[in-house]
Amino acid sequence: MKCKTCGEKAVVNMTQHKLALCKEHYLEWIPQQTARFIKKYWMFGPDEKILVAVSGGKDSLSLWDILQRLGYNADGMYIGLGIDGGIGYSDESHRLTEKFASERGLKLHVVDIQKEYGQSIPELAALTLRGQGRPCSVCGVTKRHEMNRIAHDLGYDVLATGHNLDDEAAVLFGNTLNWSREYLLRQKPVLPEHDGLARKVKPLCRFYEKEMTAYAMLRGIEYIYDECPFSVGSTSIYYKELLNQLENERPGAKLTFYLNFLDAREKGFFADDVVKVIPPLFNCPTCGQPTMYEGKCSFCRMVEKVKP
Ligand code: SF4
Ligand code: ZN
Ligand code: ZN
């Protein structure tokens, strides 16, 4: 297989795009495509202050790398969840994120949930869920709250996350199976700013997970290979496996599923429903962040509940 650009030996063959590239041209192609998506979806301009949520994984570190290469003003934020899982998951992901930032002279903000709120994520989950189920709901609410808080308090215009196509397709699949229209309407590459909260963007949403793995490896980014120990057996991993089976039979199926969904919404597929389905957002009287229901947001209710 030869590189489509220079004819040298290709190291990546993307059957879904009918495109094979050598290392040099693949490492150029990913940032070029990212720049194209940033413009296409009006994610941000050259002068905006961007905060990248970094977890120590391949996607978020690659995103930070790409935004730097494209000349954007992007700092990082790492949230210490206090998850060990027998592999020192949080410690190792924190170490790799710090290493990435210091080797490149980048600014990294670190929030440690235990120091901030007195409990780690597994402890918060044990107290609020009383041993029922995995801590992901508590973790998701906390991460979202902290990302909004830091971006707002430090004056960032944009909050960027490293969600890739596999992540987005799995969420879309779950929302479609349940016909969760409210979630379908909110699933976008860009969520506009709201009441002082930063705009949220997903610049990698059109890249397959394997494309991001190839980018991180070819770029020499050291990232945590292990998934969070609590992700094992999750519904989203199950959906990803199902979609991978489909993709193996029909290369490009995942991308078509996601892009046609974005297209359908652009063309007004859901238009009649918008007014009826998207409920107004309220503001939490404690932290000021938006919430779906009147009264305190779920994060503030949780923190109150576990206070000694
Ligand atoms: Fe948090 Fe781990 Fe669950 Fe992800 S898998 S939401 S990091 S607990
Ligand atoms: Zn080439
Ligand atoms: Zn709140």
Side-chain angles (χ1 to χ4, degrees), residues 181 185 268-278:
R181 294 192 301 170
L185 283 163
F269 190 73
F270 300 105
D272 287 347
D273 298 332
V274 172
V275 180
K276 282 177 267 167
V277 175
I278 293 195

Side-chain angles (χ1 to χ4, degrees), residues 113 117 119-121 123-125 127-129 135 137-143 145 296-307:
I113 297 300
Y117 299 100
Q119 323 272 355
S120 66
I121 290 293
E123 288 165 349
L124 275 174
L127 288 168
T128 47
L129 306 174
S137 55
V138 166
C139 185
V141 164
T142 307
K143 284 194 291 197
H145 187 275
K296 288 184 186 171
C297 72
S298 37
F299 178 78
C300 289
R301 275 187 280 125
M302 174 180 79
V303 167
E304 202 163 81
K305 211 163 139 189
V306 301
K307 258 191 198 151

Side-chain angles (χ1 to χ4, degrees), residues 7-116:
E8 292 293 313
K9 188 173 179 299
V11 293
V12 179
N13 180 21
M14 296 171 281
T15 43
Q16 69 280 6
H17 301 311
K18 298 190 177 58
L19 179 66
L21 292 169
C22 69
K23 176 178 173 181
E24 183 193 340
H25 289 116
Y26 186 70
L27 290 176
E28 277 177 11
W29 182 78
I30 291 276
Q32 279 165 1
Q33 290 293 103
T34 312
R36 192 166 79 80
F37 304 151
I38 290 168
K39 289 206 179 79
K40 180 177 171 63
Y41 298 110
W42 299 82
M43 291 188 180
F44 41 80
D47 300 323
E48 290 190 283
K49 264 184 88 185
I50 304 160
L51 184 63
V52 185
V54 274
S55 66
K58 63 185 185 314
D59 302 298
S60 54
L61 289 179
S62 295
L63 173 60
W64 202 7
D65 168 275
I66 293 164
L67 294 182
Q68 283 299 321
R69 284 173 192 278
L70 292 173
Y72 286 107
N73 176 7
D75 298 335
M77 173 184 47
Y78 175 82
I79 303 179
L81 305 170
I83 293 173
D84 183 78
I87 52 169
Y89 175 75
S90 286
D91 286 347
E92 182 62 359
S93 56
H94 185 193
R95 184 186 74 77
L96 291 168
T97 307
E98 290 279 5
K99 186 167 183 268
F100 179 93
S102 68
E103 282 174 357
R104 292 160 179 80
L106 303 175
K107 189 193 269 183
L108 176 69
H109 305 284
V110 177
V111 181
D112 188 289
I113 297 300
Q114 175 147 41
K115 285 193 195 128
E116 204 72 39

